[in-house]
Amino acid sequence: MADPHEPSAEADPGRAPNAPDVEIVVREGDRASRPVLSYELKAGGRNYGRFGPVELRKDPRRYFEERFKDIDSLPLRAPGARETAQRKLAGMGSTLAIQLLPEDLDQWLRDLKNDEAPQASTLLIRSDEAWIPWELLKLRPRGEGPSESSPFLCEAFALSRWHGGVPEHLGLPLHRLALVATRDPKLPASGEECRTLKMLAGAQRTISEIPARYLDVTDHMTAARYDGWHFTGHGLARSDDPNRWSILLQDHTELTPEDLADKGAAFGQTHPLVFFNACHTAKGALSLTGVGGWAAQLLRVGVGAFIGASWATTDEPATAFALAFYREFLRDVPIAEAVRRARLEIREEFPGDPTWLAYALYAHPLALCAELTPEEKKTPLTPPRHEEEPLPRPIPAPAPQPTFCKMRRARILRYFGGIVVVLIVLIAGLWGWQRGQDRRQARVLYDQGVERVQDERWGEAREKFEAALALNPQFAEAMTNLAALHEREGYFRDARERYHAAAAVEPENALLQYNLGNFLVVREEYEEALGPLRRAIEIRPEYVEAYNELGNAYLGLARPADAREVLEAGLAIDPTVAALNKNLARACLAEEEATEAIDYLNLALRHYDPGDPGRREATFLLAKAHAQLGQRDKTCRQLDSLGGLPGSDVSPWTPEARELAAEHGCSIEF
C-alpha cells in the first residue's frame, strides 16, 4: 500500500507531454461475488501505486438511483430551502468520498491540491464503471472543522472522465455546430439558450438548427458534417436497459443510444463535441453484455468529448451553465477548466441549486477548441528557412580610393543612419505592441457587448461595440453586431453602412456576405442583394441559408425561373429545410405549376415545427395552389385551418387570405 507521506514514488517514463496533472485509474473486480474497486494514482510523471480495494456491499446502480432521487426531491423554493440543500449536498458528498475513496488516496489528492502551494489543477478519472458521480465526491477536511470547508472533487480540480482503451482527442474545433432544441413551455430558458448559441456563428463557425424530429436528426447524424452537437430538451431514463434511455424529440419520438448502433461510424467520423443539456444523460448502467448509456455509446463511436447531466437539472441554471461553458471554451480555455468555471459561475448565481454538480464531462481535460493539439501549436507551421548560397559574382574593377574628408563624412552618415534605423525599429515595435493591446482590449469589449445582448441591455451593448470599433476599426464582428442593433432600433441607414463595412473588411467571410444580403432582402432591395448572396455561396457552396435568401431575392424581382434553379440547388444539399421547399412552391405558383407546388408545400409542412409561423404561410400557399387548380373545397378547407394554427400574435387573416376566401365563397368566420 502506498504511503501518502512517502516521497519515493516511481517515475513514469511513458508520461505523455499532454498528460493531465493527476490521473486516477479505477479498476473494477470481484471478491466473493461482490464488486470491488481499486485505484491507481499518477501525478507529475510519477506512479504512486495502488490504493484500496474498496468493497461495494450494495447494488451500486440501485444505490445511486436512490441518491439521484434524493437530489431531485430537494426543495428549493421554501424559506431557507437553498441553505438546507447546500448542507444536504455537502453531507452526501462527504459520505460518498468516505465510502469510495481510500483515506490515503484522499490524503494524496488533498496534498496535491494544497491551497498554499497547489501542484495540480487537472484530474482525469479513467474508469469503465458507469455508476459513480465522481463530481459529487467531497474531499475530507484537513482539520477538525466542518466538512463544508473542504471542496467537492469537481470544485478542487478541473475534472473529466474517460474510458480505458478509447482514443482521446485534444482538438475540438467546433467549425460546424448542430443545434437540436425541443420546444417546451416548461423549459422557457431553452429559448434563450438557442438564441444565444446562434450568435456564436462567425467567420470560422456555422450554427445549423436541426428540426427536433427523429428522421431529421438521424439523417443529419449520418452526414458526417458536424464537429459539434448541442441538444437541449428533456432526457428520460425509464427503461431498465440504459441503451434505451432517450432524448425526447418534438414529434413525440425518442432518440436513444441504440440509434447510434448503425450510424456511429459516420457520426463519430468528425470526433464531435456532444453536449446533451438534458436530465439523466450522463448516467450509465450495465446493459446486456457491458456498460450502456449515452456516454458509453458515444465514446464507443468516436466522439471527441461528451457533456451530460447525471440527474434532473433546473431550467435556468442549466441554460446558464451551457452559455458559460461555451463562452469559456471558445476563448481557448481547456475544456475541463471551462466546465469548472461554468460550474462555479452558476453555483454563485443559483446558490443551493444542485445543477452545478450534475454535469459530467467525458474528454481529455486539456482538449481545446482548435484544430491543432497544444504540442502541435508549439511547433512552427512552416519549416525554417535556410539561407541559399550566394551566386558567384564577378570581381569588380578596383575603385578609386576616397579622400580623408570623404571617409570621415561617410562614417558620420553611417553613424547617424544607424541611429535612425534603430529609432524606426523601436517606433514600429511600440506601434505594433500598442496595436496588439488595442485589439485585445477591443475583443474584451466585444465579449462584454455580446453578454449585454444576451441580457437584452441593448443600449449598453451598443456602447461596448462602438468602443471596440474605436480601438479596432477593422473589427468585422463588432460591425455586424452593431448593424443588427441599428436594424432592431429602426436605424436602417446606419445598419446598411455597418453591414456593408463588415462585408468589405472581410470579403471572404460567407456569413458577413449573407448578413448583408439578408438585410437587403428584408428591406426589399432585391437587386442589390443578389451580389452578396451569390458571393456567400461562392465562398461556402453548402450554405443552404444563402440559397434560400437568394431564391427570395429572385422571387422579389419576379424571376421565378432563376429562383427555382437556386432553390433546387439548395434542396440538393439539404432536402429537409422547410423554407427552401416553401419558397420553391412560391416559384412554382408564379409559373402556374400548382401540382408541383403542392408537392413542395406538403414537404415543407412535414419539416416545419408545429408552432413555427412558417406553417401559416405554407398553409395559405397550399390554399392558393388548390385555387389555381379550381379545387374550391380544398381551398376553403386550407383557409379554414389557418385559424387553428399556432404562431405569432399576428392574425392569419391577411387581406390576401380574406380576398381568396371571398373569391371562392368560403364560409369562414374571420
Side-chain angles (χ1 to χ4, degrees), residues 22 25 30 80 85 93 150 258 285 343 364 375 388 447 550 570 634:
V22 185
V25 180
D30 289 305
S150 61
E258 283 185 346
R343 290 185 198 278
H364 190 292
E375 274 303 302
E388 296 181 358
D447 290 339
L550 185 55
K634 291 183 178 180

Side-chain angles (χ1 to χ4, degrees), residues 293-345:
W294 280 114
Q297 185 73 315
L298 287 166
L299 267 60
R300 198 173 292 127
V301 302
V303 303
F306 169 61
I307 302 173
S310 296
W311 55 79
T313 56
T314 313
D315 184 34
E316 287 188 36
T319 290
F321 174 84
L323 301 184
F325 164 71
Y326 283 113
R327 185 186 66 237
E328 296 297 328
F329 187 51
L330 297 180
R331 290 176 177 170
D332 290 332
V333 176
I335 190 167
E337 178 61 21
V339 168
R340 178 178 173 274
R341 292 183 187 182
R343 290 185 198 278
L344 299 183
E345 183 173 318

Side-chain angles (χ1 to χ4, degrees), residues 80-99:
R82 291 185 178 273
E83 179 63 27
T84 301
Q86 285 181 323
R87 296 187 185 185
K88 287 283 188 183
L89 287 171
M92 190 182 300
S94 296
T95 300
L96 288 176
I98 291 170
Q99 292 178 332

